[in-house]
Amino acid sequence: MTREQARIEIERLSALLHHHNYRYYSLDDPQISDQEYDHLLRQLQALEDQFPDLKTEDSPSQRVGAAPLSAFAEAQHLQPMLSLDNAFSDGEVEDFDRRIRERLNRRDPVAYVCEPKLDGVAVSLLYRNGCLERGATRGDGRSGENITANVRTIAAIPLRLQGDAIPTAVEVRGEIYMPRTGFEQFNDDARARGEKTFVNPRNAAAGSLRQLDSKITAARPLSIFAYSVGYTEGWGDMPASHLDMLARLKAWGLPVNPLIRVANTLDECFEFYESIASLRDTLEYDIDGIVYKVNDLTLQERLGFVARAPRWAIARKFPAQEMTTTLLDVEFQVGRTGAVTPVARLEPVFVGGVTVSNASLHNRDEIERLGVYIGDRVIVRRAGDVIPQIVRVVEEERSTHVRPIIFPEHCPVCGSPVEKSGSEAIMRCSGGLVCAAQRKEAIKHFASRKAMDIDGLGDKLVEQLVDAGLVASVADLYQLDKSRVASLERMADKSAENLLAAIAASKNTTLPRFLYALGIREVGEATAQGLAVHFGSLEALASASEDALQDVEDVGPVVAYFVREFFDASDNLAIIDALRRAGIHWPEMAKPDAASQPLKGQTWVLTGTLETMGRAEAKDKLVALGAKVSGSVSANTHTVVAGPGAGSKLTKAEALGIRVFDETAFLSFLKEQKQ
DNA sequence: CTACCTCGAGCTCA
DNA sequence: CTCGAGGTAG
């Protein structure tokens, strides 16, 4: 066969395979058998092997996985991936609908698209000019992990969108899942080989996507349903409704859930919920509820967003699955602030896809409310998807052997009296740093990532260090010597060296981190940042009065009181002193003065995508220079920074005669400011 | 809270 | 091989 003949044949086979992929995954209506499909695929692979230079990036043969990665890169979403508000009853859906109609000032019913809510892993697929360029996990909504190589191995995900009228760029959002039959097949095979199995399809999907070696992912039965789009560019004619958009996704070759319907009234929404609930067990995938979305996209735009969720959508959750188990015992844990928390030890029970063996009982009031005794049969569920909760006691099954839960009057760790503080429901150990539990928790907090970030100093090691008497306070960390550390279990020379190096590295820090690390009550990351910026130095903060403290944004009487109390305690001052003498230091906080804030009073707007930095990074840089960064262009806007793909904001800025920087101009501007 | 993946290092045994 | 730590997801 000549090269030219091969080229034509490869093209023919590729088109054929693309077509059958579409029939199979998007339309769920295959025209050929799996064997015939495999046969075509093998023919293509054989030809590509013979003429490797004819192999294309989006060839249907390219689903076998690429070379392993050493780590996942970060992937910025061009438009954030939001979460959804939840509704747990029809009433809450009615409230949702009422809010929407009030906001839109309309009496008529609003049409909603109803979708089964898959319990899988959310992903964003970026297609540029129809080609799959990147796949990313949700992450914090702003940026996630780049899992392109893994995503490319999923047969249901088109490597190239089909049809015309494809936007030049589009982020397709969907849920990757492992079909139930595939999951069971995989587990059966794994068992037969003596390998470990997955507990549920969701974890199987998530675990498969987290493989650095995409060849492993390629061997996992994964699929996807697409349900919306994020960022788009060069769309041509926009869809008018959500349903229209789903139809386009389907036409492009992406699988869309066939059960999706439009409901024209609330009653139809409820009917949909009921019908899906009754189908639930027969579906090939796990679902945990229904999503209702306003169908009309103009209405969606008018409704907009609150915090991290759209106003125009809500997830109606199915009731949490409940199971009965036995309360074996109650232990009392002492936290960093001395809070004594009762924790239920349960006979392990499989509920909502995981094995639950612990559940917090929160406080004494909760125990009383439940009227629970040790030895009782109790009903457990996973509230809000994650946190296990004891719902109630099965009193009919109470045996004569139960015993009451006695809330301790003395700390189970240090023996100090346990006190009720003010109107709080919580009880606290009064031992302070005398209490080994509080000391351990304080050290764990100090070492944690967002605090001093001491690598390798985890829970177990802190326990060991404190129990061995090597460390009593955070200051002692900086006096450790290698031979003593190496005497601990599972700590040989190498580990000890690494630990000491990590501790030494933590000396170089920042004031906000240090403040947060101190573990002052009610002072979290954000408050620590606020205090540091406002006062500029530890000395100024430590000597500030409660009144002066309340001048800081978001600091009220409560926080001010705890900060003052902390710096009034001589123990704390001694520890801070020891830490500073050990060499902990931070750069001076730049006093926000006119010189360092040349953009004070200016409002900047970012639009499009910058190639050399993320949007958040650009924003940080501008804020640091004193600018306010806003989302929309108005007459008050000082400058617009427009990356490639800028849309209406750019047009508006030009219309208003506002200065516009492209990326190059923006970068050189930043450079000028730096000096 | 639980499950999963990945890594480095220690322990165990040949 | 096992353990602990660090990270991710829902």
Side-chain angles (χ1 to χ4, degrees), chain A residues 128 147 162 303 318 329 343 359 382 395 449 529 538 569 573 593 672:
Chain A
R128 268 193 210 281
I147 53 165
Q162 56 175 299
L303 287 161
F318 290 131
D329 198 6
V343 178
R382 296 213 299 148
E395 304 208 8
R449 194 155 72 100
Q529 174 74 35
L538 185 64
L573 296 179
D593 58 11
E672 268 171 48

Side-chain angles (χ1 to χ4, degrees), chain A residues 353-429:
Chain A
V354 299
T355 305
V356 168
S357 40
N358 306 302
S360 171
L361 283 165
H362 304 106
N363 52 53
R364 197 161 57 178
D365 295 357
E366 174 76 356
I367 295 173
E368 269 166 33
R369 190 184 68 75
L370 290 165
V372 61
Y373 288 76
I374 292 166
D376 267 338
R377 296 286 286 166
V378 292
I379 292 178
V380 174
R381 72 162 168 232
R382 296 213 299 148
D385 287 341
V386 264
I387 317 292
Q389 187 185 34
I390 295 182
V391 183
R392 65 179 177 87
V393 175
V394 189
E395 304 208 8
E396 309 86 270
E397 289 186 41
R398 176 168 287 165
S399 84
T400 50
H401 296 79
V402 298
R403 57 194 167 88
I405 299 165
I406 299 166
F407 213 98
E409 289 180 15
H410 294 277
C411 172
V413 178
C414 70
S416 308
V418 168
E419 294 163 352
K420 193 174 168 85
S421 55
S423 58
E424 288 183 313
I426 332 174
M427 307 285 288
R428 291 182 195 276
C429 159

Side-chain angles (χ1 to χ4, degrees), chain A residues 322-590:
Chain A
E322 299 185 339
M323 290 297 257
T324 305
T325 186
T326 307
L327 177 60
L328 300 175
D329 198 6
V330 173
E331 282 171 27
F332 292 88
Q333 279 178 359
V334 184
R336 174 164 63 85
T337 59
V340 178
T341 311
V343 178
R345 303 290 172 211
L346 302 163
E347 177 78 42
V349 59
F350 196 69
V351 49
V354 299
T355 305
V356 168
S357 40
N358 306 302
S360 171
L361 283 165
H362 304 106
N363 52 53
R364 197 161 57 178
D365 295 357
E366 174 76 356
I367 295 173
E368 269 166 33
R369 190 184 68 75
L370 290 165
V372 61
Y373 288 76
I374 292 166
D376 267 338
R377 296 286 286 166
V378 292
I379 292 178
V380 174
R381 72 162 168 232
R382 296 213 299 148
D385 287 341
V386 264
I387 317 292
Q389 187 185 34
I390 295 182
V391 183
R392 65 179 177 87
V393 175
V394 189
E395 304 208 8
E396 309 86 270
E397 289 186 41
R398 176 168 287 165
S399 84
T400 50
H401 296 79
V402 298
R403 57 194 167 88
I405 299 165
I406 299 166
F407 213 98
E409 289 180 15
H410 294 277
C411 172
V413 178
C414 70
S416 308
V418 168
E419 294 163 352
K420 193 174 168 85
S421 55
S423 58
E424 288 183 313
I426 332 174
M427 307 285 288
R428 291 182 195 276
C429 159
S430 59
L433 289 183
V434 171
C435 178
Q438 290 190 50
R439 283 207 310 266
K440 285 175 185 172
E441 293 308 313
I443 293 165
K444 287 176 200 172
H445 172 76
F446 184 85
S448 65
R449 194 155 72 100
K450 289 171 175 173
M452 303 298 284
D453 194 17
I454 303 178
D455 218 49
L457 183 52
D459 285 16
K460 297 278 169 175
L461 195 46
V462 170
E463 301 276 337
Q464 285 190 73
L465 288 166
V466 174
D467 290 342
L470 294 179
V471 172
S473 82
V474 292
D476 298 337
L477 290 171
Y478 296 88
Q479 311 300 330
L480 282 170
D481 74 59
K482 188 177 142 193
S483 58
R484 286 180 176 236
V485 173
S487 69
L488 297 172
E489 213 178 305
R490 274 197 163 266
M491 286 294 285
D493 277 12
K494 183 70 180 162
S495 298
E497 264 169 40
N498 289 347
L499 177 65
L500 292 189
I503 291 174
S506 76
K507 289 179 186 175
N508 189 359
T509 186
T510 65
L511 182 54
R513 274 177 177 277
F514 183 70
L515 286 179
Y516 173 65
L518 290 175
I520 304 167
R521 269 186 67 187
E522 299 294 321
V523 177
E525 239 189 313
T527 310
Q529 174 74 35
L531 290 170
V533 169
H534 187 272
F535 288 100
S537 77
L538 185 64
E539 292 67 30
L541 170 64
S543 55
S545 68
E546 281 185 50
D547 278 349
L549 285 163
Q550 289 184 51
D551 289 343
V552 182
E553 210 173 322
D554 291 333
V555 173
V558 177
V559 178
Y561 169 80
F562 284 122
V563 172
R564 196 57 261 149
E565 184 193 54
F566 183 88
F567 287 108
D568 281 338
S570 56
D571 298 4
N572 293 332
L573 296 179
I575 288 174
I576 290 173
D577 194 44
L579 288 170
R580 301 210 71 176
R581 274 187 284 114
I584 288 189
H585 61 97
W586 50 84
E588 285 290 304
M589 294 286 295

